[in-house]
Structures are given as structure tokens and as C-alpha cells.
Amino acid sequence: MDNSDAPSGPPASQGSGDGVHEKRASITGDIYYADHGADTELKRSLSTRHLTMIALGSSIGMGLWLGSGLSLASGGPAGIFLGYCLAGSMIWCVSHSIGEMACVYPLPSAFVQWTGKFVDQSAAFALGWSYWFSYCITIANELQSANTIIKFWTSAVPIAGWISIWFVVIVLINIGAVTVFGEIEVIASTIKFSWIFVVIISMIVMSAGGAGYGPVGFRYWNSMPFTHGFKGFLSVMPTCIFAMSGSENSGLVAAETVNPRKSIPRAVGSIWLRLSLFYLIGSLMITINVSPTNEDLFGGEGTNASPFVIAYRDAGIPVLAHMMNAVILLSVISTGSISGYGGSRTTMGLAYLNMAPKVFTKADKVGRPWYGLVPTFILGGGLAYLNVSESGADVFGWFSNLTSLFTLFGWGMICLSHIRFRHAWARQGRTPEELPWRSWIYPYGAWWGLIMCILLIIVQFYLSVWPLGDSPSAENFFANYISVIVIVILWLGGRAYYRGPWWVDLDTIDLDEGRRFYGADVEKPKVTGVKGVAKKVVGAILN
């Protein structure tokens, strides 16, 4: 990777006094007029609006809308709610680590390249290729889920037919210019974000007696808060993690953002909105309105529907049930689309680390990395057809367990990279004030995220050996824990190839390699009146 920090124009002399806003490069002492550094063949075409909306809604897919039914049945109302609280605290901390590092190093595969820079090359090798496989799995999972969603309306079209149709849609979204992808994700995220308010308000009314079955209150919380005890609560964690996987994609999108220093803090600041509205309040609504013993829940003996759809159907509001199902379909297609985006950018980052063929660094004139897109969609699309011979709930269980372990490994490496980045920054005589944006929860947030990732990987081992409602078996273990085995094999392979020390030497890291340097902000006149008040309110919400 060419990480030259040379700008297009010559450096200005210090103290020129011409009123132009200048920026000093940290090593050479030269003064530059514009942002520069961290350049690739990708195009910086996405704006703050794109990144904020992608951060708000891109990962809202089947894990929440459909997988919540599986979690509700396994863990009960209190189990699923506490599961989302725990997973939400983790991704909030991870997002802060991403925000701080992505402002400094907005690179194509983000956390893969950060791991190689601050942790270890073999760890980056294992993370990059396992995460690429995770993106492929997510594409497959979202495609097979689309088939499950369509069954609410019709079973006339064969499973393979629906998978093929939605696969073509996801591919078309990704082969357009990155601005096309960005606009589609903005529209999808806007619809999801708007719809959650409809869900919250309507389900409050339903639980208070506005449905055909009278007031519900917290009857399910009172009668069966945990359906399978503490083990049931632990069993919901893989699905909760899977539901939030993809939240880290904002780090990847930063490489194609015009001004990461402005866009990324706004995206990180919006995380609490998604966590509270979708996961916490959204899950609370279904725990109030849907019984955990309802056999129509996803994974049950009935229609295998989303708990949100079941709530509207049982309340006698078919119009909202159909609208809810349509929003879920849009969500899974959107999540599958951004997984294709993430997979192709991950292979590009691996190539910059010399862990994939150099041809993966190439993109065409509009910024499409074809060499990463094609294998990502071939594998992701191929895995989706497993649903043709297996039940949707079984395939979802396999894929979500695989993805949740890859996600925990990725989140852990993000937090570890952040911790080591700050140590390297301090040991080389730099101060936090030099960072373009600082996480206000460091170091506690990074350490919390790292420790919880390690603990949940251990929990998943326990559940793989002694699964809920099943007897221990080698088949069950490998089906649910194969991700860790893959990670270990990749890591050992990386160790055998790269050799050297177990950790990157913090004193020898070139902190300016791959770094984005920013020009001074031009001070804009303050906005007054109604527009000024609105701007302050939005800023308070998102920052």
C-alpha cells in the first residue's frame, strides 16, 4: 500500500499569514492546505448523511426482526431483554473504539488493518479471512430469511427461486457506484428508523387493551420471565450478538467518506438511538405482547413468523402485520447488501497487508472493487442454497452461531487494537489532544468490550458442549463452535508464516503510515433562529 503523505500541492511556509487554514504534518513539520493521507483506489463519495444513516439502520435485519422469536422462546421475556442490554453495552463500547481509530486511520478493511498495525500480523490474518467468511455467511443467512418472510404471503414459488431473485437484487445494489449503494442504504435505514416508532406506539396501545384480547400488561414477565433459567438466558446471547453484528461497518465506510472527522463522530453519537429504540424498546414490546410459548414463533412448530408480525396478527390488525412483514423483507435485503459491501472491502484491506493477492487492491474508475465483490457473492450466494434442503430455523441457528463467534472475535480485536493504539500514541510522545476525535469512555469502554467478548466466547463453548434442550454430541459441538476452530487454524497458519514476536513493538510502529491528516476547519457563521435551535437539538441527540 502506498501510504505516502505527500499532498497534491507544495507545503506552505509556516506563518505565511495569508489567512489560509493550514495543517502541520506531524513528522516532517510541513504545512498543508488540505486533508490528505490514507488514500486508496476507493472513491471518497459518501457524506455525513450516508454514514449516519448506515450507522443507524444498516445492521437492523433478521437478527432482530426474526431471530428475536427464537430468543424469546429460549430465554423468555427477561432473558431476551437482558441479552440485548448486555450486547448493547458491548457494541456501544466497540463503536467508540471504532470512532476514535477510524478518524485517524480510515482504511478499507478498518479493524483488520488496525489489528495488523497494533496487535499482530497473524491475528490480522485470522481476523480478516474469518470476517470475510462471516460476511459471506450473513449474505446467505439474510437470503434464506427472505424466503421465510415471503412464506407469510405465499409458498407458491420454490425456495431456490426466491433466493435467486433476492440474490440478484443484492448484487445489483453493490455493482452500482458507491453513491448508489449509499443512497439505497439511506432510504432503507430511514424506513426502518421511521417504522420503529409505529411499532412502539401501536404495541403500547395493544398491550394497554387496544387489541382484540384486552389488556396484557406484563403478564408474560410475571408468569415466565426466564423460560429455561440461567442457561436459557445464556443461549440468547449468540442471537443478540448476531442481531447487532454489522454495527462495526461504519468503520469500513469511513474509507469512502469525504470527511471522516466530521462524519464518524456523528455516526458514533447515533448508536444510542439504535440501541434504545430498536433493540431495547423493540424487544420490550414483543416480550409484552407475544407469549414465549407461541408455537408460531420462528423455530417453533407453526408458521415460523417474526414475533412482531405475530403480535399484529394476534391483535387482529392484519394491515400492520403485512406492513411489518414488508419492512422486515426490506431490512434483510439491506443487511445482505451491506454484507457484500463489507466483504469486498475486507479483501481489499487484506491485500494492502499482503495477506491476499495484490489484485484485490484494485478498483475501477468509480471505486468498485470487483476482485473482492465477485468471490464474496459467489460464496455467500452458494451458501444460501443450503436452505433448499434444510429448515430455515436450522440454517439460521447454524449461521447465527458461526457469525456471532466471528463477530465476538472482531469486536475483541477492535477493542484490543484501540488499547494498544493509545499506548503506542502515548509512548511515542503524542497527546490525546492531537487526535481528531476522542472517545470519552476510554479506557473503560475498550476494556469492557474486550473482557465481555472473551467471556461470551467461553459461554458459547459451554453451550456447544452442553446445548439447551439437547444432549452433548460431536456434531452439535462442531456445528456451533467451528468458527473458533477456523480462527485458531488461521491464526496458527499466520504464526507459522510470519513468525517474529507475538506482539507488534509499540515503540517502532509508524503512527503516520495509513493516517489521515486533516486541514483546519473553516469557521462558519453561527446559524440563528429556528434553524439554529433545530441544529443544536440534533447535535445534542447525535453527539
Side-chain angles (χ1 to χ4, degrees), residues 280-321:
L280 301 186
I281 301 179
S283 65
L284 181 63
M285 291 300 102
I286 63 166
T287 62
I288 292 173
N289 288 279
V290 181
S291 169
T293 59
N294 191 313
E295 64 178 19
D296 286 335
L297 286 170
F298 185 59
E301 300 296 326
T303 57
N304 269 300
S306 161
F308 294 89
V309 174
I310 291 173
Y312 288 129
R313 187 198 61 190
D314 291 351
I317 315 175
V319 173
L320 286 180

Side-chain angles (χ1 to χ4, degrees), residues 466-490:
W466 296 282
L468 181 69
D470 204 352
S471 56
S473 67
E475 180 184 358
N476 219 321
F477 175 79
F478 284 106
N480 291 288
Y481 213 65
I482 190 67
S483 298
V484 173
I485 298 171
V486 170
I487 290 168
V488 171
I489 291 173
L490 287 170

Side-chain angles (χ1 to χ4, degrees), residues 175-372:
I175 64 175
V178 70
T179 49
V180 174
F181 164 82
E183 290 301 332
I184 291 174
E185 286 299 322
V186 165
I187 293 170
S189 294
T190 302
I191 292 172
K192 287 184 274 188
F193 189 67
S194 303
W195 181 255
I196 194 64
F197 290 101
V198 176
V199 171
I200 292 170
I201 294 170
S202 60
M203 289 200 178
I204 289 174
V205 172
M206 287 159 50
S207 66
Y213 42 67
V216 176
F218 282 82
R219 68 169 67 162
Y220 303 123
W221 280 74
N222 294 327
S223 61
M224 52 184 87
F226 296 96
T227 52
H228 295 92
F230 183 66
K231 190 173 184 179
F233 163 67
L234 293 179
S235 72
V236 309
M237 290 310 302
T239 307
C240 291
I241 296 297
F242 173 74
M244 295 188 183
S245 65
S247 302
E248 63 276 15
N249 287 327
S250 56
L252 303 179
V253 179
E256 294 175 77
T257 303
V258 175
N259 187 354
R261 180 175 57 175
K262 178 183 177 184
S263 304
I264 293 170
R266 179 64 60 89
V268 171
S270 69
I271 291 295
W272 75 270
L273 274 175
R274 184 181 66 207
L275 293 177
S276 58
L277 289 175
F278 286 93
Y279 296 109
L280 301 186
I281 301 179
S283 65
L284 181 63
M285 291 300 102
I286 63 166
T287 62
I288 292 173
N289 288 279
V290 181
S291 169
T293 59
N294 191 313
E295 64 178 19
D296 286 335
L297 286 170
F298 185 59
E301 300 296 326
T303 57
N304 269 300
S306 161
F308 294 89
V309 174
I310 291 173
Y312 288 129
R313 187 198 61 190
D314 291 351
I317 315 175
V319 173
L320 286 180
H322 287 290
M323 292 176 68
M324 182 76 244
N325 213 50
V327 171
I328 296 172
L329 181 60
L330 172 72
S331 298
V332 301
I333 300 306
S334 167
T335 305
S337 169
I338 200 163
S339 296
Y341 175 96
S344 62
R345 272 60 179 182
T346 297
T347 55
M348 176 177 272
L350 284 166
Y352 278 119
L353 289 170
N354 297 316
M355 296 176 181
K358 277 294 181 185
V359 71
F360 282 101
T361 63
K362 301 296 181 183
D364 64 15
K365 62 183 180 180
V366 295
R368 292 171 294 195
W370 287 104
Y371 293 101

Side-chain angles (χ1 to χ4, degrees), residues 376-430:
T376 299
F377 281 118
I378 288 176
L379 182 58
L383 288 172
Y385 288 95
L386 285 174
N387 189 216
V388 174
S389 57
E390 300 287 346
S391 78
D394 287 342
V395 175
F396 173 84
W398 299 337
F399 284 167
S400 61
N401 285 333
L402 290 172
T403 304
S404 65
L405 283 166
F406 285 137
T407 299
L408 287 171
F409 179 49
W411 289 0
M413 284 295 104
I414 290 168
C415 293
L416 182 58
S417 297
H418 186 203
I419 292 167
R420 288 182 59 79
F421 159 66
R422 276 296 196 101
H423 281 300
W425 194 261
R427 284 171 66 164
Q428 295 189 27
R430 308 194 187 196

